[in-house]
Amino acid sequence: MKNEKAKIISNKQIAPDFFKMTVASAYLAKTSKPGQFLEVRCSRELDPLLRRPLGIHRILKNGIEMLYEVVGKGTKILSQKRPDETVEILGPLGNGFILNPNRDAILIAGGIGVAPLLALAEKITDSAERTADRKKLTVIIGARSKSHINCESDFNKTGCKTIVCTDDGSKGKKGLVTDVLKGLFPRTQDLGSSTLIYACGPNPMLKAIWAMALEKEIPCQFSFESHMACGVGVCLGCPVKVRKGLIDFEYKMVCKDGPIFNAGEILW
Amino acid sequence: MVNLKVKIGKMELKNPVMVASGTFGEEYGELIDINSLGAYVAKTITLEPRVGNPAPRIAETASGMLNSIGLENKGFEYFAKEKAPFLKKIRTAVVVSIAGDNASEFKELASRVSRLGYVDAIEVNLSCPNVKHGTRHGLIAQDEIATKDVIKAVKKASSVPVIAKLTPNVTDITKIALAAEDAGSDALLLVNTFFGMAVDIDTGKPRLGNITGGLSGPAIKPMVIKMVWETYKKVRIPVIGCGGIMDHKDAIEFMLCGARAIQVGTANFIYPEAALDIIDGIKRYMSEKKISDVRKLTGAIKL
Ligand SMILES: Cc1cc2nc3c(=O)[nH]c(=O)nc-3n(C[C@H](O)[C@H](O)[C@H](O)COP(=O)(O)OP(=O)(O)OC[C@H]3O[C@@H](n4cnc5c(N)ncnc54)[C@H](O)[C@@H]3O)c2cc1C
Ligand SMILES: Cc1cc2nc3c(=O)[nH]c(=O)nc-3n(C[C@H](O)[C@H](O)[C@H](O)COP(=O)(O)O)c2cc1C
Ligand code: FES
């Protein structure tokens, strides 16, 4: 990891509350892995004080892209930054997704959860050999409504199958990502040994996916969120409860031990 | 050349800029040269492991942050085994912060820590529930007698200087400071976090899993400076200032009001280079003001 003042190449609004920021950084381009994240200093003032954790949306040749939703003070300030300004970024942080080229992959994004999954989809399709037995890649994007669905075309470009659903039915199927997931599960096939689920989104969504995956014995890698101060494992401010033995638990840190965890590890 | 060296008891610091317990770790060694710090202060340890508090543990507030980590640590045994290779390599002062439920736990831990051989001072985290005198649910550092008991016990067991870390959550911090000095503390460290609380009005729930927590960061600085100043006037042992220091100007402000050294806490999270920038800034300030010795800054406020 490094703490860099990266030059902003572009910072564009792509939907009412969503922005895409591209920054130049040869270092981040070279060292980042899908699933890792960054601690971004939105402001040099004392308020807002802390950095904001943001995922790595895309790993480019000479920089990286972030996709963020404006939800509060920090992201609002970030959205007002212009090209050629710099932004202080600490990263790459945490551990990335673990790829398994021998399995079909289902990527599930809830809302802004698409952010780290595009980098993953691009990595999977880049590294997969373009042969007939290439493993299947399916992406499910779910959100509240049409204006909260992002990146459908970016995923399509990777050549994966993309399914969209919204709570209100304003785009794609009406329903939750778990409804779509159910439709993907054929009754007979042994999915447990052939499929892998990657997901990022609100905790209740992850929990529901895990409940379904567990039945089919499909391994899941989930990206978790937590409020953070340091982002590197120093402050112990971002705990997630994981199983320890049969009855006990311990805390792991989302920033350092995650943000990607195997769903089976988590004490839900 | 300016002199930046200061002494805390018999511990020599190459400069007066330390990092605060719980806000710095070896992870930052990837970003900055830890050996350039005045002192490396480890996160508070207890004899036995502690799991810590439920999530969320962090809540940002105006120019500050609340935390409720709950002294999560893996206990002395783990610390002694796992951290030794890193701590032994450090070429600057190493301070280990300890906590416990009562004076005998503090004593036992102090004795084990000072026998490690590579520790230059023990910081006594007195912001722990006052179990023995616990009828009032307070912290040790809210009670003069409990403070004295603990510091006396630690002093007896320790072969290295002892720093008493006080809580600001008292009516008169100088009383506790004098109690710690009386008990033989080699220095005083002001302060740990201020009690605080925040609520999410949309959900109606507290922002911290533990409901309440401790406030740190720039928001607390003026209150701590006043405490340092009041304490400095009353005690003979060195006072170390800690609270909301973000840059060299903040650090110098503390020193002018009586701090012999300072600790950088929350600022590390915002920019891990903070402590090193502060050292450079103090040097620049001294050259500009033609001050040759950093010790001359302590208490140099003009009234
Ligand atoms: C590993 C990780 C990756 C993330 N990746 C992305 C991403 O790619 N795109 C994106 O839009 N968002 C992402 N988030 C969420 C993002 O960090 C928050 O939306 C952001 O911190 C909100 O800041 P704010 O100042 O706008 O909001 P405010 O509500 O004003 O923030 C107040 C405080 O709460 C914290 N906070 C609020 N919401 C969250 C949250 N959901 N997670 C963590 N901290 C929060 C802030 O960091 C800040 O300390 C990620 C979070 C984590 C932990
Ligand atoms: C996340 C966090 C963890 C902390 N952990 C400890 C600790 O383990 N022991 C201790 O004595 N103080 C601890 N503190 C208090 C700091 O050392 C320091 O006294 C306080 O934060 C005030 O300084 P600051 O405003 O510069 O951060 C912690 C503070 C924070 C923010
Ligand atoms: S944010 Fe500090 S340990 Fe994770």
Side-chain angles (χ1 to χ4, degrees), chain A residues 81-102:
Chain A
K81 295 203 185 287
R82 315 224 139 267
D84 286 336
E85 288 180 40
T86 58
V87 58
E88 214 178 306
I89 298 179
L90 178 65
L93 305 173
N95 304 298
F97 294 106
I98 296 167
L99 269 58
N100 187 337
N102 301 319

PDB file of all heavy atoms in Angstrom, chain A residues 81-102:
ATOM      1  N   LYS A  81     -15.284  17.378  -7.039  1.00  0.00           N
ATOM      2  CA  LYS A  81     -13.892  17.530  -7.502  1.00  0.00           C
ATOM      3  C   LYS A  81     -13.831  17.495  -9.026  1.00  0.00           C
ATOM      4  O   LYS A  81     -14.620  16.806  -9.677  1.00  0.00           O
ATOM      5  CB  LYS A  81     -13.012  16.432  -6.904  1.00  0.00           C
ATOM      6  CG  LYS A  81     -12.898  16.545  -5.397  1.00  0.00           C
ATOM      7  CD  LYS A  81     -11.648  15.869  -4.901  1.00  0.00           C
ATOM      8  CE  LYS A  81     -11.569  15.853  -3.389  1.00  0.00           C
ATOM      9  NZ  LYS A  81     -11.270  17.165  -2.800  1.00  0.00           N
ATOM     10  N   ARG A  82     -12.862  18.254  -9.557  1.00  0.00           N
ATOM     11  CA  ARG A  82     -12.754  18.395 -11.012  1.00  0.00           C
ATOM     12  C   ARG A  82     -11.490  17.706 -11.531  1.00  0.00           C
ATOM     13  O   ARG A  82     -10.536  17.529 -10.784  1.00  0.00           O
ATOM     14  CB  ARG A  82     -12.676  19.883 -11.401  1.00  0.00           C
ATOM     15  CG  ARG A  82     -13.644  20.779 -10.713  1.00  0.00           C
ATOM     16  CD  ARG A  82     -14.280  21.758 -11.689  1.00  0.00           C
ATOM     17  NE  ARG A  82     -15.698  21.913 -11.403  1.00  0.00           N
ATOM     18  CZ  ARG A  82     -16.675  21.223 -11.971  1.00  0.00           C
ATOM     19  NH1 ARG A  82     -16.400  20.300 -12.881  1.00  0.00           N
ATOM     20  NH2 ARG A  82     -17.926  21.423 -11.659  1.00  0.00           N
ATOM     21  N   PRO A  83     -11.506  17.389 -12.815  1.00  0.00           N
ATOM     22  CA  PRO A  83     -10.302  16.832 -13.429  1.00  0.00           C
ATOM     23  C   PRO A  83      -9.107  17.754 -13.185  1.00  0.00           C
ATOM     24  O   PRO A  83      -9.293  18.976 -13.072  1.00  0.00           O
ATOM     25  CB  PRO A  83     -10.647  16.772 -14.915  1.00  0.00           C
ATOM     26  CG  PRO A  83     -12.127  16.667 -14.952  1.00  0.00           C
ATOM     27  CD  PRO A  83     -12.635  17.431 -13.766  1.00  0.00           C
ATOM     28  N   ASP A  84      -7.935  17.155 -13.071  1.00  0.00           N
ATOM     29  CA  ASP A  84      -6.665  17.855 -12.810  1.00  0.00           C
ATOM     30  C   ASP A  84      -6.452  18.218 -11.342  1.00  0.00           C
ATOM     31  O   ASP A  84      -5.351  18.543 -10.945  1.00  0.00           O
ATOM     32  CB  ASP A  84      -6.480  19.111 -13.680  1.00  0.00           C
ATOM     33  CG  ASP A  84      -6.161  18.728 -15.114  1.00  0.00           C
ATOM     34  OD1 ASP A  84      -5.656  17.599 -15.312  1.00  0.00           O
ATOM     35  OD2 ASP A  84      -6.430  19.524 -16.025  1.00  0.00           O
ATOM     36  N   GLU A  85      -7.500  18.176 -10.535  1.00  0.00           N
ATOM     37  CA  GLU A  85      -7.265  18.285  -9.090  1.00  0.00           C
ATOM     38  C   GLU A  85      -6.673  16.956  -8.637  1.00  0.00           C
ATOM     39  O   GLU A  85      -6.718  15.972  -9.370  1.00  0.00           O
ATOM     40  CB  GLU A  85      -8.583  18.522  -8.335  1.00  0.00           C
ATOM     41  CG  GLU A  85      -9.177  19.907  -8.519  1.00  0.00           C
ATOM     42  CD  GLU A  85     -10.485  20.067  -7.725  1.00  0.00           C
ATOM     43  OE1 GLU A  85     -10.564  19.569  -6.575  1.00  0.00           O
ATOM     44  OE2 GLU A  85     -11.419  20.689  -8.258  1.00  0.00           O
ATOM     45  N   THR A  86      -6.141  16.931  -7.410  1.00  0.00           N
ATOM     46  CA  THR A  86      -5.637  15.652  -6.914  1.00  0.00           C
ATOM     47  C   THR A  86      -6.510  15.186  -5.757  1.00  0.00           C
ATOM     48  O   THR A  86      -7.222  15.971  -5.134  1.00  0.00           O
ATOM     49  CB  THR A  86      -4.187  15.753  -6.406  1.00  0.00           C
ATOM     50  OG1 THR A  86      -4.138  16.718  -5.375  1.00  0.00           O
ATOM     51  CG2 THR A  86      -3.230  16.086  -7.517  1.00  0.00           C
ATOM     52  N   VAL A  87      -6.436  13.883  -5.507  1.00  0.00           N
ATOM     53  CA  VAL A  87      -7.159  13.327  -4.375  1.00  0.00           C
ATOM     54  C   VAL A  87      -6.218  12.334  -3.703  1.00  0.00           C
ATOM     55  O   VAL A  87      -5.496  11.590  -4.365  1.00  0.00           O
ATOM     56  CB  VAL A  87      -8.502  12.698  -4.815  1.00  0.00           C
ATOM     57  CG1 VAL A  87      -8.307  11.604  -5.837  1.00  0.00           C
ATOM     58  CG2 VAL A  87      -9.288  12.168  -3.628  1.00  0.00           C
ATOM     59  N   GLU A  88      -6.182  12.412  -2.351  1.00  0.00           N
ATOM     60  CA  GLU A  88      -5.250  11.567  -1.617  1.00  0.00           C
ATOM     61  C   GLU A  88      -5.874  10.196  -1.400  1.00  0.00           C
ATOM     62  O   GLU A  88      -6.950  10.079  -0.821  1.00  0.00           O
ATOM     63  CB  GLU A  88      -4.951  12.232  -0.273  1.00  0.00           C
ATOM     64  CG  GLU A  88      -3.537  12.013   0.212  1.00  0.00           C
ATOM     65  CD  GLU A  88      -3.291  12.746   1.522  1.00  0.00           C
ATOM     66  OE1 GLU A  88      -3.533  13.968   1.584  1.00  0.00           O
ATOM     67  OE2 GLU A  88      -2.876  12.073   2.479  1.00  0.00           O
ATOM     68  N   ILE A  89      -5.185   9.174  -1.868  1.00  0.00           N
ATOM     69  CA  ILE A  89      -5.716   7.814  -1.809  1.00  0.00           C
ATOM     70  C   ILE A  89      -4.716   6.876  -1.141  1.00  0.00           C
ATOM     71  O   ILE A  89      -3.556   6.805  -1.527  1.00  0.00           O
ATOM     72  CB  ILE A  89      -6.013   7.281  -3.234  1.00  0.00           C
ATOM     73  CG1 ILE A  89      -7.078   8.154  -3.903  1.00  0.00           C
ATOM     74  CG2 ILE A  89      -6.468   5.830  -3.193  1.00  0.00           C
ATOM     75  CD1 ILE A  89      -7.413   7.725  -5.320  1.00  0.00           C
ATOM     76  N   LEU A  90      -5.203   6.164  -0.135  1.00  0.00           N
ATOM     77  CA  LEU A  90      -4.382   5.135   0.524  1.00  0.00           C
ATOM     78  C   LEU A  90      -4.862   3.781   0.002  1.00  0.00           C
ATOM     79  O   LEU A  90      -6.036   3.455   0.106  1.00  0.00           O
ATOM     80  CB  LEU A  90      -4.593   5.236   2.036  1.00  0.00           C
ATOM     81  CG  LEU A  90      -3.876   4.224   2.934  1.00  0.00           C
ATOM     82  CD1 LEU A  90      -2.373   4.397   2.870  1.00  0.00           C
ATOM     83  CD2 LEU A  90      -4.346   4.384   4.383  1.00  0.00           C
ATOM     84  N   GLY A  91      -3.934   3.015  -0.561  1.00  0.00           N
ATOM     85  CA  GLY A  91      -4.369   1.724  -1.086  1.00  0.00           C
ATOM     86  C   GLY A  91      -3.279   1.033  -1.879  1.00  0.00           C
ATOM     87  O   GLY A  91      -2.177   1.566  -1.983  1.00  0.00           O
ATOM     88  N   PRO A  92      -3.527  -0.110  -2.445  1.00  0.00           N
ATOM     89  CA  PRO A  92      -4.757  -0.885  -2.273  1.00  0.00           C
ATOM     90  C   PRO A  92      -4.786  -1.568  -0.912  1.00  0.00           C
ATOM     91  O   PRO A  92      -3.747  -1.962  -0.395  1.00  0.00           O
ATOM     92  CB  PRO A  92      -4.677  -1.920  -3.402  1.00  0.00           C
ATOM     93  CG  PRO A  92      -3.219  -2.096  -3.661  1.00  0.00           C
ATOM     94  CD  PRO A  92      -2.571  -0.786  -3.344  1.00  0.00           C
ATOM     95  N   LEU A  93      -5.988  -1.697  -0.334  1.00  0.00           N
ATOM     96  CA  LEU A  93      -6.124  -2.230   1.016  1.00  0.00           C
ATOM     97  C   LEU A  93      -6.926  -3.533   1.033  1.00  0.00           C
ATOM     98  O   LEU A  93      -7.772  -3.767   0.169  1.00  0.00           O
ATOM     99  CB  LEU A  93      -6.814  -1.196   1.907  1.00  0.00           C
ATOM    100  CG  LEU A  93      -6.149   0.191   1.959  1.00  0.00           C
ATOM    101  CD1 LEU A  93      -7.021   1.183   2.729  1.00  0.00           C
ATOM    102  CD2 LEU A  93      -4.767   0.116   2.585  1.00  0.00           C
ATOM    103  N   GLY A  94      -6.674  -4.338   2.028  1.00  0.00           N
ATOM    104  CA  GLY A  94      -7.443  -5.563   2.222  1.00  0.00           C
ATOM    105  C   GLY A  94      -7.102  -6.641   1.207  1.00  0.00           C
ATOM    106  O   GLY A  94      -6.139  -6.524   0.446  1.00  0.00           O
ATOM    107  N   ASN A  95      -7.906  -7.693   1.243  1.00  0.00           N
ATOM    108  CA  ASN A  95      -7.680  -8.835   0.355  1.00  0.00           C
ATOM    109  C   ASN A  95      -8.726  -8.863  -0.740  1.00  0.00           C
ATOM    110  O   ASN A  95      -9.875  -8.510  -0.518  1.00  0.00           O
ATOM    111  CB  ASN A  95      -7.767 -10.131   1.153  1.00  0.00           C
ATOM    112  CG  ASN A  95      -6.804 -10.121   2.316  1.00  0.00           C
ATOM    113  OD1 ASN A  95      -5.601 -10.037   2.127  1.00  0.00           O
ATOM    114  ND2 ASN A  95      -7.320 -10.153   3.524  1.00  0.00           N
ATOM    115  N   GLY A  96      -8.329  -9.318  -1.895  1.00  0.00           N
ATOM    116  CA  GLY A  96      -9.254  -9.371  -3.027  1.00  0.00           C
ATOM    117  C   GLY A  96     -10.043 -10.671  -3.052  1.00  0.00           C
ATOM    118  O   GLY A  96      -9.907 -11.534  -2.181  1.00  0.00           O
ATOM    119  N   PHE A  97     -10.894 -10.786  -4.074  1.00  0.00           N
ATOM    120  CA  PHE A  97     -11.619 -12.031  -4.323  1.00  0.00           C
ATOM    121  C   PHE A  97     -10.623 -13.097  -4.757  1.00  0.00           C
ATOM    122  O   PHE A  97      -9.607 -12.796  -5.372  1.00  0.00           O
ATOM    123  CB  PHE A  97     -12.635 -11.841  -5.458  1.00  0.00           C
ATOM    124  CG  PHE A  97     -13.758 -10.898  -5.139  1.00  0.00           C
ATOM    125  CD1 PHE A  97     -13.803  -9.624  -5.686  1.00  0.00           C
ATOM    126  CD2 PHE A  97     -14.789 -11.296  -4.291  1.00  0.00           C
ATOM    127  CE1 PHE A  97     -14.855  -8.756  -5.410  1.00  0.00           C
ATOM    128  CE2 PHE A  97     -15.847 -10.436  -4.008  1.00  0.00           C
ATOM    129  CZ  PHE A  97     -15.873  -9.170  -4.565  1.00  0.00           C
ATOM    130  N   ILE A  98     -10.946 -14.340  -4.455  1.00  0.00           N
ATOM    131  CA  ILE A  98     -10.096 -15.431  -4.934  1.00  0.00           C
ATOM    132  C   ILE A  98     -10.781 -16.078  -6.140  1.00  0.00           C
ATOM    133  O   ILE A  98     -11.934 -16.512  -6.059  1.00  0.00           O
ATOM    134  CB  ILE A  98      -9.850 -16.460  -3.821  1.00  0.00           C
ATOM    135  CG1 ILE A  98      -9.062 -15.781  -2.691  1.00  0.00           C
ATOM    136  CG2 ILE A  98      -9.082 -17.671  -4.362  1.00  0.00           C
ATOM    137  CD1 ILE A  98      -9.017 -16.564  -1.417  1.00  0.00           C
ATOM    138  N   LEU A  99     -10.062 -16.095  -7.251  1.00  0.00           N
ATOM    139  CA  LEU A  99     -10.634 -16.630  -8.489  1.00  0.00           C
ATOM    140  C   LEU A  99     -10.511 -18.146  -8.534  1.00  0.00           C
ATOM    141  O   LEU A  99      -9.556 -18.711  -8.006  1.00  0.00           O
ATOM    142  CB  LEU A  99      -9.907 -16.039  -9.698  1.00  0.00           C
ATOM    143  CG  LEU A  99     -10.495 -14.746 -10.273  1.00  0.00           C
ATOM    144  CD1 LEU A  99     -10.557 -13.649  -9.249  1.00  0.00           C
ATOM    145  CD2 LEU A  99      -9.704 -14.309 -11.491  1.00  0.00           C
ATOM    146  N   ASN A 100     -11.491 -18.761  -9.153  1.00  0.00           N
ATOM    147  CA  ASN A 100     -11.396 -20.194  -9.385  1.00  0.00           C
ATOM    148  C   ASN A 100     -11.848 -20.503 -10.810  1.00  0.00           C
ATOM    149  O   ASN A 100     -13.036 -20.563 -11.105  1.00  0.00           O
ATOM    150  CB  ASN A 100     -12.260 -20.953  -8.375  1.00  0.00           C
ATOM    151  CG  ASN A 100     -12.055 -22.449  -8.483  1.00  0.00           C
ATOM    152  OD1 ASN A 100     -11.630 -22.953  -9.523  1.00  0.00           O
ATOM    153  ND2 ASN A 100     -12.354 -23.160  -7.412  1.00  0.00           N
ATOM    154  N   PRO A 101     -10.865 -20.677 -11.720  1.00  0.00           N
ATOM    155  CA  PRO A 101     -11.178 -20.829 -13.141  1.00  0.00           C
ATOM    156  C   PRO A 101     -11.921 -22.129 -13.461  1.00  0.00           C
ATOM    157  O   PRO A 101     -12.417 -22.301 -14.573  1.00  0.00           O
ATOM    158  CB  PRO A 101      -9.806 -20.815 -13.816  1.00  0.00           C
ATOM    159  CG  PRO A 101      -8.822 -21.139 -12.747  1.00  0.00           C
ATOM    160  CD  PRO A 101      -9.421 -20.713 -11.447  1.00  0.00           C
ATOM    161  N   ASN A 102     -12.013 -23.033 -12.486  1.00  0.00           N
ATOM    162  CA  ASN A 102     -12.687 -24.303 -12.751  1.00  0.00           C
ATOM    163  C   ASN A 102     -14.176 -24.287 -12.433  1.00  0.00           C
ATOM    164  O   ASN A 102     -14.841 -25.314 -12.525  1.00  0.00           O
ATOM    165  CB  ASN A 102     -12.029 -25.419 -11.935  1.00  0.00           C
ATOM    166  CG  ASN A 102     -10.568 -25.546 -12.287  1.00  0.00           C
ATOM    167  OD1 ASN A 102     -10.207 -25.457 -13.457  1.00  0.00           O
ATOM    168  ND2 ASN A 102      -9.734 -25.685 -11.271  1.00  0.00           N
TER     169      ASN A 102
END
